[in-house]
C-alpha cells in the first residue's frame, strides 16, 4: 500500500483525535501542535473552519438537515424545524446543513454523520431516537441505503478490457497528439467554468520543473449537483484513467482525488479501483510496465462548498483554511505546494478516455441539433423521477425535465428551473426549450454550468427560492474577503426582509450597489455569484417580488406581514 | 525575466520593474489607491478589496497583490470602481462600533477616515445583530472584536513580522474573527505582548491599554531605542513602548538606600539592571503570646512577642523558609537574601496590588527599572526573559521552594536535581481554572506566586474549600486517591505554579515513604475538613442563617440578649487579656434571641487569607486562624475580613535602624491579631468574665441545629394543616 505523501496530514490527525474523544479537546490539540510542530493558531484556524470538527463535546444525536434547493422543495426546512421542536430539551442538536449531495433523493439529513435519504418526519424521529438510545456507528450505517449502480452508456470498454486508451498512449507516448485530440474535441471543464481541457493540460506540460500534480475535483457540493457522484459510483475506472493520462501528459507523477466528505461510498469505490490499479501495475512506479510512474491517492475533504473552488481546494490539501487564493497565479502555474497543478472535474477526466477511445466522429454524431457530445445532468426538485441522466448535448431542457425526469406532479404546472444550481439563477418554464448547449445557454443569458437542474412547480415562491439560494452562498462564504463575507450576509438579511413584505423604497438601488461590488471585487466565484439568484428572479419574476412589497406572496409561501 | 514593464494607469504611461504590484506602481507615480488590509512591510493578502482597480478583465483586481503586466490599462478612479470601493467601506461601517477605541484615542481609525472621505455618514445596510465580544484579559492590549475588519494585519504582524505565531483567523464566514492560540483570551495565550498586532491594527480592534493617570513621574524615563537594546525587551514594538512612556523608569540607588518597604502598598515591580540588593524582613519574627502577669489587678494577662525558640507552635517547628514576593524565599532564622542583576521583585504588588512583602535595600550602587503592570506584562511575556527567569528559578529557588513545604523538607538533593528540569513552570490569569473537579488527576502543583481558590461543586452551587498562597500545594488528593480531581482550583489573581507531572510525583512517593505518609496524612485531614464543610452546608439550608453569613462560621460568640444586661464586662475582659486592645465588639447581627458579637468566626471562606504577601495567615487544623511569626503588619488581612474581626496590635520593639543597620532603634511594629479563643486558658476571657452567663462560645450548627430543625418541622406541620 502506498502512503499519502502529497497532502497535509493535519486533517487525518484531527480526525483521529475526534474518533477517540468525540471532539477535539484542547489538551489534545496542544499535544498535536507540539507533535506536528505547528503553532496553536494554525490548528484552531482549521478546526474552527471546517464543519466536521467539534471543538466541544457533541450532542448524543447531532442532526444535520439539508434545506437547500431540492431539499427545500421537499420540505427539508420544515423537517428541521419539526425535529428541533420535537427533541427540544434532549441531548439532540438539530442544525441546518448545506447540500449533502442527495438532491435526487430529497430530503436528506445526517445523524451523527451518517446520511439518510428521502427521509420522512417519522423516519427522522426514529433515527434520532436510535441515536439517543446509543446506536453504534455500525448500527446507524446499517440503516443507510447503499448507492444504486447503473451502467454508463458511453463507457467504451467491456469490463475486461479497460484502460485501453492508456495502454496505447503508454506505448506510443504521443502526448502532443493527445493534447491535439483533446483540443480538437472541444472538451472543456465540466465543473461549471468551461475552460478548454487540452489547453489546460498543455499549459501545465509546458511549465518547467519535475514536481507537478494532477487533482480530480470530486467535491461537487453545489445544490442540485449530483452528476459526479453518479460517475464515481458507476465508472471510477474512466476517472482514474483520465487522471493517469492527465498526469502523463502534464509530467506529473502524483494525482489526488479530492472527494467530498459526504461521499463515503464513492470514496470506497474509488479506493477499490485505485487498489486494483496498483495491483495490476496500472498505477505505481512502472505504469503498465513502462518507465513511466504515476501514483494516485484520495484526499477526503474536511467539508464545505468552498473547497470546490480550485484554489481553496489546494489550500485544504495543504492543511489550511479553504480560502481561495488571489489569482493570478493560476493553479496551472502555482498550484499544490506552489507547483504546477492540473485541476479538473470528475466528469472532465471521465470524458478524456471516452473521447479518445470513441473518436471525434462519435462525439459529433452523438450530439443533437449541431451540439457535440454527451453530458451528465442531475434533475431534481419538483419532478416525479429525479435522477442523473446521461444525455446528448443539444437536448432541450424541457425534454430533460418533462420526459426524462417525469415532469412536475399531476395537477401542478412547471413554473421555473435553475439550469445550474444556485449559481446559474432561475429561468422561467417558458425558456425551457433552450437546448443543453454552451453557446445557446450563453445567448439565453444563462449557463450549462455543472448541469444541476432544479425544477420548481407553481407552489414555489421565486423570491423565497432566491433567498434560499443566496442564503446557501452566505452559509458557505469562507469569510476571507469583505464583499462576500459581509455582503452575502447583508444581502441575505435584505431578502429575508423582502419575503416578510418589508422592502424599502431604496432597497433596489442598495441591492444594485451591493451586487456590483460583490460581482466585481470578490476574490473568487462564490462571492461573485452571490447576487445571481436574486438578479435572475428580479429579471424574470419581478411581479412576484413586487407583490411581496404589497404584502402578498402569490405562492402563499412567505409569511408576509402586510 | 528582468527589465521593466510598460503600462498605463489612469491614462498615464509608466514603466516599472517587473514584479511590481499595481499598488506600488501607482504609489511610485503619485497615484493614491486607498487600502485597509495592505501595509508596505507585510506580504499582501488582498482581503479587504478596497484597493480594487479596473484592469479591463471580467472582474476588478486588488492592486495590492496584482502584479503589473505589459500593456495593462489600469483605471483606479472610474465611477464604478469608486462606487464598488465605497460599498465595501459602507459594508464594514455597518458593523463598526463608530467611533471605535482607536478613533476615540487618537482619531486615526483608518476605516472611519475612509468612510469620512467617501462621505458615508450613516451606513444603509442593516447592522450586525450578533455580538462579537471584547477581550480585556491582556494587561497591555485591549481587544475589541466588534471593531475587527479581518484585514489580517495583526496576523501578519504577529506571525510574519515578529514570528511569534500567536494570532490566526478562527471560525468561518460572517462569524470569522481573529483568535489567539486555540482561541483563548489574549491574556491567557502565548502572546508575548510585543505590541506588533496593536500597532498593525487599522481600527480600534487592538489598542494600547494605557494605565491612566499612573505615570511614574520622577525617575528617568528611558527612550524606546534604549529599552529595545535590553535583551528582556527584545522583539517589542518601539511604537508600543513609545505609547507606554512613563510606565517604565530607570532609577539609581546608593548603597544603603531603601528601594521599597515591607507592608507598603504599591503598584510597581523592579528589575535589577546593575548591582545587588538585600531583601529582608525588618519586622521582628515572633507571634503574640499571652502570659499571666503576676502583678496588677487589671492586667490578668499580657501579650508579648515570642519567637519559636521560646514558644514553639507545633506546626511551625519544621518551617524553614518564609515566602516573599521575589524569586527566592527567606530563611526563617535569618530572613535576608540577596538579589542581583537580571532579577525581578515586586511582581505580586505590581500585578495584584498586594502589599510589599519585604524591605529591599541597595547593597552596592544599584540601577533598577521600575515599571507598571502593563510594562511588567510585556517583560514577563518576553521569551528571553521568561526563559532566563525560569532557568534561575530552577537553579536556585525550586529547591528552597520545595523545602519550604514542610512535607518535602527532607527530600534528598539528588531528587530535587532530578525534578529541576522536569517540572513545568506555568502561569495562569485571574479566573483561569488550573484543575477541574472530575478531570483525571495528572499532576501535582506548588503555588509559586499568587492565590488559588479551591472550590467543590455541590448541588446548589460551589463552595470554597480554601485559598492557597505561595508555599502551598494542591493536586495530591486526586493523585493519591481515585485518580480524579476532587475539587476545582482556580487562579484568584496572577498565579504562577510549579507543575510536577503525575509520574514524577508517583516516583517520589515510591522512593520516599515518609513523604508519602505525610502527604497521605495531609490529604486525609483536608478531605475530613472538606467533608465537614460540605456536610454543614447540606444540613442547614435555612435562608436567614445563610444570609447572615453565620453559615460561614465555625465558631461564634453569642450573647443571649434575654440574659445580657449590656454591662460590657466581656469587652473589658477581652481588652484586659490582650494588652488593652479588645478583639471583641459587642455589636453585630441578631439571630433569634442571640446577638452574634463581632469576633472572629473562623469562617469557612477565610477571605482574610487572600493576599497576605508573606503567607503568614493561615488556619490550624482546628480551624483556628493563626498568624505566623513573620507577619509584617501590613494590615491587609484586617481590611479583608468582612466582619472587622482582625486588628493590628502595636508592639514597641527594637530593630536595626534601616539607615544604619549596625544601630538599634526603638520603634512600633504591628502584628495582626484576631480572636484566639484565649487558647492559653480553659475558657475565653469574655465568657469567663460574663457575670450573667449570657456569653457563649458555640459551634453554630450544633447549637442552632435543634432550633432550626424544630422550626422547620413547625413549618411543615403548618403546611400540612392548611392543606387539609
Amino acid at each position: 500500500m502506498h502512503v499519502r505523501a502529497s497532502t497535509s496530514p493535519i486533517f487525518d490527525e484531527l480526525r483521529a483525535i475526534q474518533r477517540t474523544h468525540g471532539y477535539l479537546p484542547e489538551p489534545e490539540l496542544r499535544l498535536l501542535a507540539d507533535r506536528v510542530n505547528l503553532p496553536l493558531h494554525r490548528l484552531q484556524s482549521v478546526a474552527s473552519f471546517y464543519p466536521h470538527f467539534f471543538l466541544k463535546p457533541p450532542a448524543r444525536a447531532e442532526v444535520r438537515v439539508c434545506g437547500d434547493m431540492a431539499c427545500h422543495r421537499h420540505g427539508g426546512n420544515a423537517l428541521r424545524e419539526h425535529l428541533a421542536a420535537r427533541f427540544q430539551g434532549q441531548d439532540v442538536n438539530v442544525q441546518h446543513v448545506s447540500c449533502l449531495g442527495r438532491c435526487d433523493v430529497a430530503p436528506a439529513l445526517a445523524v451523527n454523520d451518517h446520511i439518510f435519504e428521502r427521509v420522512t418526519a417519522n423516519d427522522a424521529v426514529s433515527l434520532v431516537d436510535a441515536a439517543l438510545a446509543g446506536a453504534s456507528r455500525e448500527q446507524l450505517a446499517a440503516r443507510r441505503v447503499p448507492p444504486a449502480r447503473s451502467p454508463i452508456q458511453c463507457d467504451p470498454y467491456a469490463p475486461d478490457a479497460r484502460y485501453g486508451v492508456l495502454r496505447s498512449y503508454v506505448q506510443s507516448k504521443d502526448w502532443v497528439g493527445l493534447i491535439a485530440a483533446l483540443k480538437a474535441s472541444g472538451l472543456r471543464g465540466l465543473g461549471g467554468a468551461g475552460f478548454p481541457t487540452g489547453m489546460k493540460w498543455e499549459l501545465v506540460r509546458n511549465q518547467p520543473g519535475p514536481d507537478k500534480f494532477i487533482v480530480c475535483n470530486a467535491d461537487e457540493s453545489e445544490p442540485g449537483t449530483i452528476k459526479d457522484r453518479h460517475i464515481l459510483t458507476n465508472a471510477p475506472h474512466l476517472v482514474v484513467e483520465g487522471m493517469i493520462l492527465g498526469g502523463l501528459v502534464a509530467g506529473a507523477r502524483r494525482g489526488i482525488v479530492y472527494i467530498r466528505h459526504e461521499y463515503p461510498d464513492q470514496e470506497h469505490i474509488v479506493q477499490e479501483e485505485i487498489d486494483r490499479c496498483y495491483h495490476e501495475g496500472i498505477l505505481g512506479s512502472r505504469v503498465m510496465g513502462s518507465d513511466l510512474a504515476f501514483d494516485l491517492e484520495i484526499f477526503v475533504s474536511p467539508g464545505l462548498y468552498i473547497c470546490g473552488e480550485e484554489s481553496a481546494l489546494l489550500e485544504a490539501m495543504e492543511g489550511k483554511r479553504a480560502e481561495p487564493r488571489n489569482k493570478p497565479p493560476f493553479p496551472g502555474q502555482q498550484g499544490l505546494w506552489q507547483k504546477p497543478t492540473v485541476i479538473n472535474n470528475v466528469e472532465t477526466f471521465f470524458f478524456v478516455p471516452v473521447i479518445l477511445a470513441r473518436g471525434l466522429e462519435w462525439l459529433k454524431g452523438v450530439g443533437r441539433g449541431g451540439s457535440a457530445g454527451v453530458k451528465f445532468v442531475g434533475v431534481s426538485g419538483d419532478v416525479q423521477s429525479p435522477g442523473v441522466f446521461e444525455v446528448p448535448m443539444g437536448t432541450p431542457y424541457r425534454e430533460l425535465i418533462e420526459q426524462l425526469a417525469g415532469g412536475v406532479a399531476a395537477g401542478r404546472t412547471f413554473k421555473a428551473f435553475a439550469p445550474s444550481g444556485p449559481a446559474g439563477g432561475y429561468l422561467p418554464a417558458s425558456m425551457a426549450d433552450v437546448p443543453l448547449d454552451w453557446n445557446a445557454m450563453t445567448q439565453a443569458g444563462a449557463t450549462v454550468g455543472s448541469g444541476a437542474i432544479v425544477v420548481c412547480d407553481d407552489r414555489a415562491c421565486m423570491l423565497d427560492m432566491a433567498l434560499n439560494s443566496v442564503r446557501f452562498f452566505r452559509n458557505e462564504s469562507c469569510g476571507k474577503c469583505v464583499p462576500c463575507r459581509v455582503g452575502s450576509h447583508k444581502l441575505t438579511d435584505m431578502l429575508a426582509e423582502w419575503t416578510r413584505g418589508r422592502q424599502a423604497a431604496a432597497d433596489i438601488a442598495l441591492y444594485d450597489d451591493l451586487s456590483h461590488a460583490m460581482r466585481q471585487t470578490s476574490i473568487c466565484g462564490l462571492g461573485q455569484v452571490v447576487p445571481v439568484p436574486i438578479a435572475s428572479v428580479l429579471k424574470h419574476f419581478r411581479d412576484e417580488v413586487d407583490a411581496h412589497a404589497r404584502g402578498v406572496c402569490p405562492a402563499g409561501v412567505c409569511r408576509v406581514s402586510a | 525575466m528582468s527589465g521593466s514593464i510598460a503600462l498605463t494607469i489612469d491614462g498615464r504611461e509608466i514603466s516599472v520593474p517587473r514584479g511590481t504590484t499595481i499598488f506600488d506602481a501607482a504609489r511610485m507615480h503619485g497615484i493614491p489607491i486607498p487600502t485597509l488590509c495592505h501595509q508596505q512591510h507585510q506580504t499582501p493578502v488582498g482581503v479587504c478589496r478596497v484597493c480594487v482597480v479596473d484592469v479591463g478583465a471580467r472582474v476588478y483586481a486588488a492592486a495590492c497583490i496584482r502584479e503589473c503586466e505589459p500593456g495593462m490599462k489600469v483605471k483606479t478612479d472610474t465611477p464604478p470602481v469608486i462606487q464598488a470601493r465605497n460599498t465595501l467601506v459602507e459594508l464594514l461601517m455597518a458593523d463598526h462600533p463608530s467611533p471605535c477605541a482607536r478613533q476615540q484615542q487618537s482619531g486615526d481609525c483608518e476605516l472611519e477616515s475612509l468612510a469620512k472621505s467617501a462621505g458615508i455618514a450613516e451606513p444603509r445596510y442593516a447592522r450586525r445583530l450578533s455580538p462579537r465580544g471584547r477581550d480585556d484579559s491582556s494587561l497591555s492590549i485591549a481587544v475589541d472584536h466588534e471593531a475587527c475588519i479581518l484585514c489580517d494585519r495583526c496576523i501578519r504582524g504577529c506571525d510574519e513580522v515578529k514570528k511569534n505565531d500567536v494570532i490566526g483567523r478562527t471560525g468561518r464566514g460572517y462569524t470569522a474573527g481573529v483568535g489567539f492560540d486555540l482561541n483563548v483570551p489574549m491574556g491567557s495565550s502565548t502572546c508575548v505582548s510585543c505590541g506588533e498586532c496593536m500597532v498593525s491594527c487599522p481600527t480600534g480592534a487592538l489598542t494600547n491599554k494605557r494605565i491612566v493617570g499612573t505615570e511614574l513621574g520622577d525617575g528617568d524615563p528611558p527612550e524606546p531605542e534604549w529599552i529595545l537594546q535590553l535583551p528582556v525587551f527584545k522583539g517589542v514594538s518601539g511604537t508600543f513602548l513609545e505609547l507606554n512612556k512613563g510606565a517604565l523608569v530607570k532609577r539609581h540607588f546608593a548603597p544603603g538606600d531603601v528601594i521599597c518597604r515591607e507592608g507598603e502598598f504599591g503598584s510597581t515591580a523592579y528589575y535589577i539592571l546593575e548591582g545587588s540588593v538585600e531583601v529582608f524582613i525588618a519586622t521582628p519574627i515572633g507571634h503574640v503570646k499571652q502570659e499571666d502577669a503576676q502583678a496588677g489587678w487589671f492586667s490578668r494577662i499580657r501579650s508579648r512577642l515570642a519567637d519559636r525558640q521560646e514558644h514553639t507552635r507545633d506546626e511551625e517547628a519544621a518551617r524553614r523558609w518564609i515566602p516573599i514576593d521575589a524569586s527566592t524565599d527567606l530563611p526563617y532564622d535569618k530572613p535576608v537574601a540577596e538579589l542581583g542583576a537580571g532579577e525581578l521583585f515586586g511582581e505580586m504588588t505590581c500585578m495584584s496590588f498586594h502589599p510589599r512583602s519585604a524591605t529591599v535595600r541597595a547593597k552596592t550602587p544599584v540601577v533598577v527599572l521600575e515599571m507598571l503592570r502593563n510594562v511588567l506584562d510585556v517583560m514577563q511575556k518576553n521569551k528571553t526573559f521568561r526563559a532566563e527567569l525560569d532557568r534561575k528559578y530552577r537553579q536556585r529557588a525550586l529547591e528552597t521552594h520545595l523545602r519550604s513545604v514542610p512535607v518535602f523538607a527532607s527530600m534528598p538533593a539528588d531528587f530535587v536535581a532530578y525534578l529541576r528540569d522536569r517540572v513545568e513552570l506555568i502561569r495562569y490569569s485571574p479566573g483561569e481554572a488550573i484543575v477541574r473537579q472530575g478531570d483525571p488527576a495528572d499532576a501535582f502543583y506548588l503555588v509559586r506566586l499568587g492565590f488559588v481558590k479551591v472550590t467543590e461543586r455541590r448541588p446548589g452551587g460551589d463552595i470554597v474549600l480554601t485559598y492557597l498562597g505561595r508555599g502551598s500545594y494542591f493536586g495530591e488528593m486526586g493523585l493519591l486517591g481515585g485518580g480524579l480531581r476532587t475539587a476545582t482550583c482556580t487562579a484568584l489573581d496572577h498565579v504562577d505554579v510549579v507543575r510536577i507531572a503525575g509520574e514524577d510525583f508517583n516516583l517520589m512517593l515510591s522512593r520516599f515513604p515518609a513523604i508519602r505518609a505525610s502527604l497521605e496524612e495531609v490529604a486525609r485531614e483536608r478531605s475530613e475538613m472538606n467533608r465537614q464543610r460540605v456536610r454543614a452546608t447540606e444540613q442547614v439550608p435555612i435562608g436567614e442563617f445563610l444570609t447572615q453569613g453565620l453559615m460561614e462560621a465555625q465558631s461564634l460568640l453569642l450573647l443571649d440578649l434575654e440574659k445580657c444586661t449590656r454591662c460590657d464586662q466581656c469587652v473589658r475582659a477581652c481588652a484586659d487579656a490582650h494588652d488593652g486592645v479588645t478583639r471583641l465588639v459587642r455589636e453585630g447581627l441578631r439571630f433569634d434571641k442571640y446577638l452574634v458579637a463581632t469576633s472572629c468566626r473562623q469562617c469557612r471562606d477565610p477571605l482574610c487569607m487572600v493576599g497576605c504577601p508573606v503567607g503568614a495567615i493561615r488556619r490550624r487544623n482546628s480551624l483556628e486562624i493563626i498568624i505566623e511569626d513573620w507577619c509584617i503588619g501590613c494590615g491587609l488581612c484586617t481590611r479583608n475580613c468582612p466582619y472587622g474581626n482582625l486588628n493590628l496590635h502595636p508592639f514597641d520593639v527594637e530593630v536595626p535602624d534601616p539607615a544604619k543597620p549596625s544601630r538599634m532603634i526603638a520603634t512600633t511594629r504591628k502584628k495582626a491579631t484576631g480572636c484566639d479563643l484565649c487558647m492559653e486558658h480553659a475558657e475565653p476571657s469574655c465568657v469567663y468574665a460574663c457575670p450573667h452567663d449570657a456569653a457563649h462560645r458555640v459551634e453554630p450548627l450544633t447549637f442552632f441545629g435543634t432550633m432550626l430543625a424544630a422550626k422547620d418541622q413547625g413549618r411543615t406541620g403548618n403546611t400540612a394543616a392548611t392543606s387539609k
Side-chain angles (χ1 to χ4, degrees), chain B residues 518-581:
Chain B
S518 332
L519 274 171
E520 277 172 347
E521 179 57 19
V522 171
R524 199 194 53 73
E525 278 167 16
R526 282 185 173 180
S527 106
E528 172 58 21
M529 256 165 67
N530 296 347
R531 211 166 50 77
Q532 279 178 13
R533 274 171 220 169
V534 167
R535 195 172 53 216
T537 53
E538 276 172 348
Q539 274 174 353
V540 191
I542 302 297
E544 192 183 5
F545 203 62
L546 284 174
T547 48
Q548 293 201 2
L550 301 184
M551 197 59 239
E552 289 291 319
Q554 303 282 340
S555 175
L556 294 175
L557 178 65
L558 296 183
L559 300 176
D560 184 338
L561 294 176
E562 289 174 1
K563 292 182 181 169
C564 175
T565 63
R566 286 69 167 162
C567 70
D568 257 0
Q569 281 294 343
C570 51
V571 178
R572 238 165 284 154
C574 182
D576 287 351
H578 301 106
D579 291 303
V581 181

Side-chain angles (χ1 to χ4, degrees), chain A residues 44 48-49 321 326 490 513 521, chain B residues 45 49 95 126 170-172:
Chain A
Q44 172 69 22
S48 63
F49 186 82
R321 295 161 68 85
N326 278 283
K490 303 296 178 203
D513 285 354
T521 72
Chain B
V45 289
R49 315 304 286 176
D95 291 347
T170 181
R172 184 182 77 243

Side-chain angles (χ1 to χ4, degrees), chain A residues 228-290:
Chain A
D228 292 343
R229 194 194 75 210
H230 179 81
I231 295 170
L232 291 171
T233 309
N234 296 302
H237 60 284
L238 290 168
V239 179
V240 169
E241 186 176 13
M243 288 188 72
I244 303 174
L245 287 167
L248 299 182
V249 167
R253 295 181 45 144
R254 289 187 174 281
I256 301 125
V257 182
Y258 188 106
I259 194 162
R260 73 175 299 196
H261 173 90
E262 289 76 12
Y263 286 177
D265 295 320
Q266 288 69 28
E267 177 198 341
H268 183 67
I269 290 168
V270 174
Q271 188 62 56
E272 273 183 352
E273 184 63 25
I274 290 175
D275 292 346
R276 187 176 306 123
C277 287
Y278 271 104
H279 184 70
E280 294 175 7
I282 296 168
L283 281 169
S285 52
R286 294 166 57 79
V287 172
M288 291 184 155
S290 70

Side-chain angles (χ1 to χ4, degrees), chain B residues 254-260 276-280 359-364 366 656-661:
Chain B
D257 285 354
V258 171
I259 300 169
C260 64
S276 64
V277 300
E278 259 184 332
V279 186
F280 60 96
T359 300
V360 180
R361 186 170 50 204
K363 201 173 178 190
T364 64
V366 166
D657 184 354
K660 197 179 173 198

Side-chain angles (χ1 to χ4, degrees), chain B residues 107-161:
Chain B
D108 62 351
C109 168
E110 294 177 30
L111 175 61
E112 291 183 45
S113 305
L114 263 184
K116 197 173 171 209
S117 62
I120 299 162
E122 190 56 41
R124 294 168 294 167
Y125 299 97
R127 293 201 148 267
R128 177 187 281 271
L129 295 176
S130 48
R132 304 167 73 197
R134 290 187 169 80
D135 172 0
D136 205 33
S137 60
S138 162
L139 289 182
S140 32
I141 298 164
V143 186
D144 183 0
H145 292 291
E146 306 286 347
C148 175
I149 58 168
L150 277 124
C151 64
D152 291 354
R153 275 162 52 167
C154 58
I155 294 177
R156 285 170 284 163
C158 182
D159 304 346
E160 193 181 289
V161 177

